[in-house]
Amino acid sequence: MIESEGDRIVGVRGDPEHPANLGRLCTKGAALHLTARPDYRLLHPELRRQRGQARQRVGWDAALDHAADRFAEIIAAHGPDSVAFYISGQLLTEDYYVFNKLAKGLIGTNNVDTNSRLCMSSAVAGYKQTLGADAPPCCYEDIALADCLLIAGANPAVAHPIVFRRIEDARAANPELRIVVIDPRQTETSAIADLHLPLRPGTDIALYNGLLHVLLGDGLVDRGYIAAHTEGFAELERTVAAYPPAVVAEICGLDQGDVIKAARWFGTAGATLSLYCQGLNQSSHGTHNNVALIHLHLATGQIGRPGAGPFSLTGQPNAMGGREVGGLANLLSAHRDLANPEHRDEVARLWGVPSVPAAPGRTAIALFVALQRGLIKAVWNACTNPAQSLPDQAEVRAALQAADFVVLQEAYGNTDTAAYADLMLPATTWGEKEGTVTNSERWITHLRPAVSPPGEARHDWQIVVDFAHRLGGRLGQPLTEKLFPYRSAEAIFNEHRESTRGRDLDITGLSYALLDAAGPQQWPLAEGASHGRQRLYEDGVFPTGSGRARFVKVEHRSTAENTNAMRPISLLSGRLRDHWHGMSRTGSVARLFNLDDEPLLSMHPADLRERALAAGDLARVGSARGLFPEFAFASVGLYGRADPLVILRATHTTALPESRLQQIDALFGVDDDAAAIVYVDHRRQISKRAVAPDGELVGVRLAGETQAQSWLREVMADNTLDAELIRWAVAPIGQRPGKLQPRSRVVCQCADITAAQTAADIEAGATLAVVQDQRKCGTFCGSCLPEIRQMISAQPLLARGEGALRQHREGA
């Protein structure tokens, strides 16, 4: 829910009536209004007609005419498959629909893929191979109804904090709930586990096959369910015979007793629910990781009933909606398969075109490989940042540089991909758009704009439709007006709705009016139905040719890149609690850097000791992907709250020459000699500069000796350094001058409570309940709760008890 003043968003809060979050927001969501600043937005189209030139502001007609000319020229010379569209799970369903129709219906190419490919395609394929459709069978309410909760390849305490609050609520309501966490790392989520299985990276299939082996040996599979509702189990049963606990323990680096315990907990629970995410998905065999876990539910009948089932957690707000309209290179509208000729004919009839191309399009990674090789000449990027988010960054950037024509349709003009764009098109973003999104549990929500678009920004679907009309004329397509007749987002939704008739995700009973009157609805909700369906497959009938779920033979395979003597450590990337994806939005909010202000490396204590590393040390990390080209270490982040500081930290093997320091000074705006205090010691290779026009410290650069950096950032963020003390900015001191109190790190972003305040409360005997009641910590998004619990557990029990007793006496 958005609070606005005129056309300015000034606040956000969760909708207490929304069934997905019940009013709760994570720190990112609670700070979203702070990203709605016009100085970060792309406000008008920009075009360069030749590489090497700077882009110039142009009008919309000139921008889209140029884009249509370039696409038409390339298609005429090289064919429809010489162009491609790379879009995003941040788009609304209606935006996705018209992009899909533009590529597959008008141009005649299936080269339209999305960044959801990187996070969700394995989950999609896993569901389809086993259950027959890309349809999560569970709902969030199942968390409270489960007796055993298996969390695999996910850290919801950080990546899905509202889901994690449900897990904490479930544990509080049911102390007998058993939680198993499968993750190579110790995480905030594994801290609440009754059993943590820190398997070796990439050994998921071996583990799940091993769990099924134990279930079979203990007679914990449901033979009746298997016989009535599945197929292919006999072959899988022969496969998992080779995965006894001892073998699995050796492959996975686990204790075989823990493997047996996890299987028995899974199989003996009245209801077992699995939650899983990128740890399974982002793998060279991610689909089979998903399949192997889903097997456990099918073999035990733990699906289609309250508290049970395999529940894939989605990584982006509308990755589900994009898949519903066929927004991937191998999909068509309404969960139709591109490889199925009947499905292609159905979509062609719906759209009124002669045919839909049969050749699969280029998927995300392959798309940019083809771009670098010249097989694709033009790429249209929308609402995503491939120059930052795709793997093998050097190759991706080389591909963008090699392209004949690059379009970037974005709300923010400062992303990495912008440097490669020949044409920039300003798009609207959250708070300004109308359309629908679908969440992990199939709730469809109608979003309505709260403010008008800034500058000349247009809605994504409007940009596509306008471009399609222009391109269709140049391609000699007489059906363009009939293909793209839309004058509103609702018109697009209505066509998408009709495409779902009779499909597994049938939403013919939905409308914008119903969503506005009754609130979000779950699919399927067919015409004539009064409400959607919470859980799927309750009747044991699956959307496959036989109506049965399928077991698939899956075997353990090693990771695509294995450890060796030169590279003995597996490097896993993890999400930051307070940031989204590439940080094009949250990266502009200083308060969201208070928890993680620079990249961190976490290692097992034994690995740290072996490499003589301690907390706070700088570690040099190398991989087959390369190193930072100039510095041994470098990071850029923000600090503060309302008015952010930009902080660059870098380490170099030798002192930088003065010319390089001058370049850095100019880049960060600290090159004003008239307002500068300068200290240089050539013998010790120390160079410092503080800039303070009108007696206010606005920038500092320290090179060679940096003791003052910690207190300088605090006083600059708070603007608490008196003018007469500014000269101390270039002094070699590690503490604030004068009597200034040190600033404490913020623990609870939502309530703006610092670590010092929290520690003082705990030292005085406050329990978690008291901290929540008095400070409101953990009562908004709950993301700070794991850290507060750690702070409480670190206090001596006796001191806590005495403090609580004193507090009780004082209260009495």
Side-chain angles (χ1 to χ4, degrees), residues 688 702 705-712 725 727-738:
K688 302 182 182 182
L702 308 175
E705 186 277 302
T706 61
Q707 291 186 63
Q709 64 161 324
S710 59
W711 67 265
L712 275 171
L725 297 178
R727 66 184 186 277
W728 291 98
V730 295
I733 57 174
Q735 296 181 341
R736 293 183 178 206

Side-chain angles (χ1 to χ4, degrees), residues 127 130-131 137-138 146 148-152 208 212 215 220-222 225-226 230 233 266 271-276 290-305 307-312 542 549 551:
Y127 274 145
T130 54
L131 309 183
C138 314
C148 179
L149 189 61
L150 188 146
I151 305 172
Y208 304 137
L212 184 52
L215 291 169
L220 295 176
V221 298
D222 188 337
Y225 188 90
I226 292 170
T230 73
F233 186 69
F266 190 105
T272 297
L273 180 71
S274 294
L275 304 176
Y276 51 97
N290 281 257
V291 165
L293 178 54
I294 295 170
H295 283 165
L296 301 178
H297 288 274
L298 292 175
T300 56
Q302 292 278 11
I303 188 171
R305 52 193 178 84
F311 197 176
S312 165
F542 295 86
F551 289 99

Side-chain angles (χ1 to χ4, degrees), residues 506-510 514 521-522 524-533:
D506 193 323
I507 57 170
T508 50
L510 276 185
L514 176 64
Q521 300 293 315
Q522 282 177 297
L525 200 162
E527 190 172 15
S530 59
H531 56 81
R533 197 178 305 160

Side-chain angles (χ1 to χ4, degrees), residues 29 64 85 120 214 291 447 518 564 577 741 802:
L64 293 179
F85 300 86
M120 298 310 300
V214 175
V291 165
L447 308 180
N564 54 40
R577 188 194 74 183
Q741 293 297 315
E802 291 175 349

Side-chain angles (χ1 to χ4, degrees), residues 505-776:
L505 70 164
D506 193 323
I507 57 170
T508 50
L510 276 185
S511 65
Y512 275 14
L514 176 64
L515 292 170
D516 291 341
Q521 300 293 315
Q522 282 177 297
W523 63 254
L525 200 162
E527 190 172 15
S530 59
H531 56 81
R533 197 178 305 160
Q534 271 193 310
R535 298 174 188 88
L536 305 181
Y537 318 130
E538 293 172 301
D539 56 1
V541 177
F542 295 86
T544 63
S546 64
R548 293 170 174 264
R550 297 178 292 235
F551 289 99
V552 180
K553 181 181 178 180
V554 293
E555 295 270 16
H556 165 67
R557 290 161 45 200
S558 62
T559 54
E561 294 180 359
N562 295 311
T563 57
N564 54 40
M566 291 293 294
R567 297 190 175 93
I569 298 294
S570 295
L571 181 64
L572 305 176
S573 60
R575 293 290 296 273
L576 297 178
R577 188 194 74 183
D578 296 341
H579 286 284
W580 271 317
H581 307 294
M583 298 164 58
S584 58
R585 279 179 289 179
T586 55
S588 66
V589 181
R591 63 192 287 179
L592 296 180
F593 285 84
N594 284 327
L595 179 65
D596 300 293
D597 61 350
E598 62 184 346
L600 295 176
L601 176 68
S602 299
M603 297 180 71
H604 190 282
D607 290 327
L608 287 171
R609 288 193 298 270
E610 184 178 340
R611 289 157 182 80
L613 288 171
D617 287 351
L618 284 177
R620 186 179 182 90
V621 180
S623 76
R625 305 289 174 240
L627 290 166
F628 195 90
E630 180 178 3
F631 294 98
F633 167 83
S635 72
V636 178
L638 301 185
Y639 186 78
R641 296 191 71 75
D643 296 316
L645 301 175
V646 179
I647 299 179
L648 166 69
R649 299 181 182 90
T651 299
H652 201 270
T653 54
T654 60
L656 292 177
E658 189 64 25
S659 60
R660 188 70 171 106
L661 292 177
Q662 290 173 356
Q663 291 176 338
I664 294 173
D665 292 343
L667 180 64
F668 285 88
V670 291
D671 55 345
D672 183 356
D673 291 335
I677 302 171
V678 178
Y679 173 85
V680 177
D681 184 336
H682 293 294
R683 182 179 63 83
R684 298 171 59 203
Q685 296 181 320
I686 294 173
S687 176
K688 302 182 182 182
R689 168 182 286 260
V691 177
D694 302 320
E696 181 182 354
L697 188 61
V698 297
V700 179
R701 187 260 296 148
L702 308 175
E705 186 277 302
T706 61
Q707 291 186 63
Q709 64 161 324
S710 59
W711 67 265
L712 275 171
R713 69 177 189 174
E714 294 175 5
V715 298
M716 291 177 70
D718 295 341
N719 196 23
T720 54
L721 189 66
D722 293 337
E724 60 268 20
L725 297 178
I726 288 177
R727 66 184 186 277
W728 291 98
V730 295
I733 57 174
Q735 296 181 341
R736 293 183 178 206
K739 299 180 180 180
L740 296 173
Q741 293 297 315
R743 185 177 187 267
S744 177
R745 178 177 59 83
V746 174
V747 170
C748 178
Q749 305 288 352
C750 302
D752 198 18
I753 303 300
T754 66
Q757 292 172 303
T758 307
D761 292 342
I762 295 170
E763 289 173 5
T767 62
L768 176 61
V770 171
V771 172
Q772 289 180 298
D773 180 61
Q774 294 182 353
R775 299 288 191 184
K776 304 305 179 185

